[in-house]
Amino acid sequence: MSWDMIRLSENSPKDYFEASPLRIVAKGKPLFRLRVIPWSDDVSGNVSKQYNAHTNIYTTNANLPHQQLSQEYFIRSCSTSSFASSSEQFVALSEDFKEDRWHNAYDCELEQEIMFQVIPHFLPADNPQQSETSSHLGVNASLNCRRDMSGGSEQVKESVEGYEALFHPGVPRECEKTISVIRKQIWLACHGDQGGIGQLSTETGVKDKIAQFWIDTLLAKAKPILNAKLKNRETRDQRLNERMSREDRKSLTEEITATVGTELWEWVVRQPQDDYEQLAVDDPLRNDIRPGIHYNILLCTRGINPHLDTPGEILHTCLLGTNKYVWHTTNKTWTKVDEETFAVRLQSSSITGLTIPPPRAAYLVQYKNSLIGKHFKTLQQIGVFHVHDLCTPDVFQLWKVTGELGALLWVPEIRDMDTYLADLEVLIANVLDAWGKVDPRRIITKAKLHVLTHLPDDIRRLGPAVIFATEVFECFNAIFRQCSILSNHLAPSHDISVALASMERFKHVVSGGWWKESEGRYVRAGPSIPLFLHQNRELQRRLGWTDHSLIKSGDVKRSPRAKRHAGSWETHTKDFILSGSLPEAVSDGNWENCTLLVSQAKDICTVGSWVFLKSSNGTRIGRIRAILCRAGMTKQTSVLLEHFEVADERDQRLNMPILVRTPTKQVLIAVPEDVLFNFNAQHDCVSGGCVIGDSDHKQVQERLETDKPTKCIIHADDDCFHLNMHGIHNAHLIRELLPRNLVAPIPLQADRQAYHRALSLELQVTGPKKRAETQAKAKETREKNKHALARSTGIRPNELDEA
């Protein structure tokens, strides 16, 4: 049988041979399908506070390893405009997603020309943008979830059934039904029924940005036509000038309105005219609205479902959502003394093993209502250790469950999906139930809390939540902004796109990419060009690329010459009680201090780092006390670690494992290859009775050291610590090594349904009362404004009412 033919069945009554359509397209070339991740959002083209609105679309290759997806180097700019919305720009991008659209490229590994297709994988963005992408009204809608049909009026949400529904994913939205609602909205616009359109949007939560243009246009066209045919006695249907019953007049009015609506519908489906004329004579779209022209094209794009494929984004949903709410709830009642106390405690926190910058606690407290994502990520990981006496017990419980959830959401890999999702569902339930204790209405007023309930489904389909995080796209905005500043400001979108295309061309060339010459031959730059990229760290930094292969597990870096303190083994270890095998020929030659080592997980571990250690007796935990290498020989290195043991039970206050120094205070001897990974631990200051005092460091102002000492926490001991289970870094590895009883989440409510029912009954009493108070206050404010206007204009208040 020919390779260009395939046999459909060996047992068929007769042989069927059929040419593969893809083989005809390929013409002998290998074919590939690539998943891409499109991202869109509005971005300011200015560095200053003056907003210069642009809407951008970026993409990245979803087939890349996840570690590389977090690098700016792999982000590609697709389009930008200060006028066209993301829905309009997606029309052009969707052309590349069509089933018959193939692209030519050169495969450097196969060393031949190939063809590939691109298919959208999912649509990450912040919540308002994802609502626009899925043709949803947004968080202010009655049905305020873009993913499902949960919600309703305030009374419905306060009912037992409605309130319970907010704590679970609801009935999924469907693209076909959304298109049907958009079609009905445009039909109502043809009839001039603006009130019906608003009511339909409220009832369904559907609002399409492209369709809204046609709705506004149709309403503007329908109004004068209907006025002329229904209200103007000279131009309207003469039958309306005659005497008739109310029912007959109503029937005639509806008939005329329907006629106008049909005419406008026939007009709108023919718009724009040039696009309409390209349709085949028998194409059903000649009598219907079309995707990309009249409504969101993503609702019909192959490979994507905007309702299902807009996953909950952890930056805007968690850090700028739940974490922000917890922070505001906590600090809104603080006094100046409370703020200073928290700032000192936070600044004294250990950040070893957290991969975060120093917290700048004074700044966080001073500008507590203007924090951004990186600040909330810091607070999420170490804030719980310092607020035990600065908030109520219910709010403190909220800090605990929020930190536990954050650590689980930021894991880079999942090895046991079922266990992970079961734990995740418990932690999400804990966060929502803890909010019910603090503020039962919060899940009604803040849609981001309900979005959390969809995360388990998103993670099961798409993988760890960090894959659909948007930080890397937000970082790429800085590159776009510089291109905007340096543009000609006459045709900024065009100029920015040309600059970004030039940068992409440079990246392609310097990375060793191939391109096609005019003669049809594929070529690339010489070997010195890619070598320059691999050797030049500054160029790598500017392109946003990190070469992780340069970091090798077990590597050691020696200290600067002045800090090596060369001496005998006995000199370096005289104050330690050593446990373990000594290095060979330990007494021969001198030993020197080293600055750091690289763990098996490629963590940079320094003196003072907390690490998990592999030993013949199993896994151990220790804090690095010294890294010693034989003088001039980093391959012969020993690591000295203070040994700590994990208590059998968790700490009841923080719900975290407890680390206790061994009674013998022994120091373990290991080699760098035995260090598995590092983690974060915080001192148990509450049990130890640690107090705030003056440190040896002086405050620095304007680069000058003052006489004022810096405040810090003075630790009473160095023997008892908490293993920080809110830390994001290596959270998945910690959970794998610790006993299950120390890491398994504990549900806050045994009977959640009964708990929610009690909260609902409470809201049914307080809700109407609060709405009545709000209405009374609004009425009072209107009266005050009316009397103020009357005094300034000399007009009586009752005359203003008549006006």
Side-chain angles (χ1 to χ4, degrees), residues 106-385:
Y106 183 81
D107 192 308
C108 60
E109 292 189 351
L110 297 178
E111 297 183 350
Q112 68 175 109
E113 192 174 44
I114 64 168
M115 300 180 72
F116 68 93
Q117 276 187 336
V118 289
I119 302 174
H121 193 39
F122 56 85
L123 302 164
D126 59 17
N127 289 285
Q129 178 59 48
Q130 286 182 322
S131 290
E132 178 186 334
T133 300
S134 53
S135 300
H136 183 251
L137 186 57
V139 296
N140 294 323
S142 178
L143 303 179
N144 56 6
C145 181
R146 64 180 179 273
R147 303 284 298 276
D148 60 38
M149 301 298 293
S150 63
S153 64
E154 291 289 314
Q155 292 79 3
V156 171
K157 293 177 183 177
E158 291 170 356
S159 66
V160 174
E161 296 78 10
Y163 192 70
E164 177 67 30
L166 298 177
F167 291 84
H168 310 279
V171 178
R173 291 180 180 267
E174 300 176 10
C175 291
E176 294 78 9
K177 292 182 178 180
T178 301
I179 295 173
S180 177
V181 172
I182 295 172
R183 183 182 291 109
K184 188 173 182 180
Q185 289 175 340
I186 294 178
W187 176 259
L188 291 174
C190 292
H191 293 72
D193 189 358
Q194 186 171 5
I197 297 171
Q199 182 180 357
L200 187 60
S201 295
T202 301
E203 293 174 352
T204 61
V206 174
K207 183 176 182 180
D208 188 89
K209 198 156 190 176
I210 293 180
Q212 191 62 39
F213 166 79
W214 295 107
I215 290 172
D216 294 339
T217 302
L218 289 168
L219 288 174
K221 291 177 71 70
K223 185 176 181 179
I225 296 175
L226 291 174
N227 284 338
K229 293 192 174 186
L230 295 177
K231 297 181 179 180
N232 191 321
R233 296 183 62 87
E234 297 179 357
T235 60
R236 69 184 181 181
D237 193 305
Q238 292 303 312
R239 291 174 292 177
L240 292 174
N241 294 332
E242 300 173 359
R243 295 178 63 87
M244 63 179 68
S245 65
R246 180 176 299 177
E247 291 75 13
D248 292 342
R249 182 174 294 275
K250 180 180 179 182
S251 177
L252 180 57
T253 301
E254 290 176 351
E255 178 185 342
I256 296 172
T257 303
T259 302
V260 173
T262 302
E263 293 174 354
L264 289 177
W265 176 264
E266 292 175 353
W267 174 83
V268 74
V269 297
R270 287 179 168 84
Q271 304 302 315
Q273 194 68 33
D274 55 347
D275 181 83
Y276 177 79
E277 292 174 353
Q278 295 177 10
L279 298 174
V281 177
D282 57 346
D283 195 328
L285 290 178
R286 293 180 70 90
N287 299 313
D288 199 0
I289 56 177
R290 302 186 295 282
I293 300 296
H294 299 102
Y295 63 90
N296 185 2
I297 196 171
L298 293 175
L299 294 171
C300 300
T301 300
R302 179 178 69 111
I304 204 76
N305 179 343
H307 296 307
L308 183 64
D309 296 323
T310 47
E313 201 281 311
I314 52 180
L315 168 62
H316 297 90
T317 303
C318 296
L319 294 181
L320 300 177
T322 55
N323 290 11
K324 184 177 181 179
Y325 306 153
V326 174
W327 172 243
H328 175 70
T329 302
T330 304
N331 70 60
K332 66 182 180 181
T333 59
W334 280 356
T335 64
K336 191 67 175 178
V337 175
D338 293 335
E339 292 179 354
E340 294 175 354
T341 300
F342 179 78
V344 173
R345 291 175 177 176
L346 187 68
Q347 194 63 42
S348 301
S349 302
S350 170
I351 61 173
T352 302
L354 288 180
T355 65
I356 60 174
R360 297 184 63 195
Y363 177 91
L364 265 65
V365 171
Q366 182 178 359
Y367 302 101
K368 57 181 180 292
N369 294 326
S370 304
L371 304 185
I372 58 176
K374 66 177 182 179
H375 300 135
F376 291 115
K377 185 178 285 189
T378 296
L379 292 171
Q380 172 186 282
Q381 297 182 75
I382 57 179
V384 71
F385 297 97

Side-chain angles (χ1 to χ4, degrees), residues 755-770:
Y755 176 67
H756 298 158
R757 179 182 179 84
L759 295 177
S760 171
L761 295 175
E762 177 186 342
L763 286 174
Q764 291 176 35
V765 175
T766 60
K769 181 179 178 181
K770 184 174 182 179

Side-chain angles (χ1 to χ4, degrees), residues 620-622 641-645 660-662 666-668:
R620 295 187 174 186
I621 293 178
L641 305 101
E642 300 172 284
H643 187 206
F644 283 77
E645 294 180 343
V660 182
R661 189 190 296 272
T662 56
Q666 59 185 1
V667 174
L668 304 177

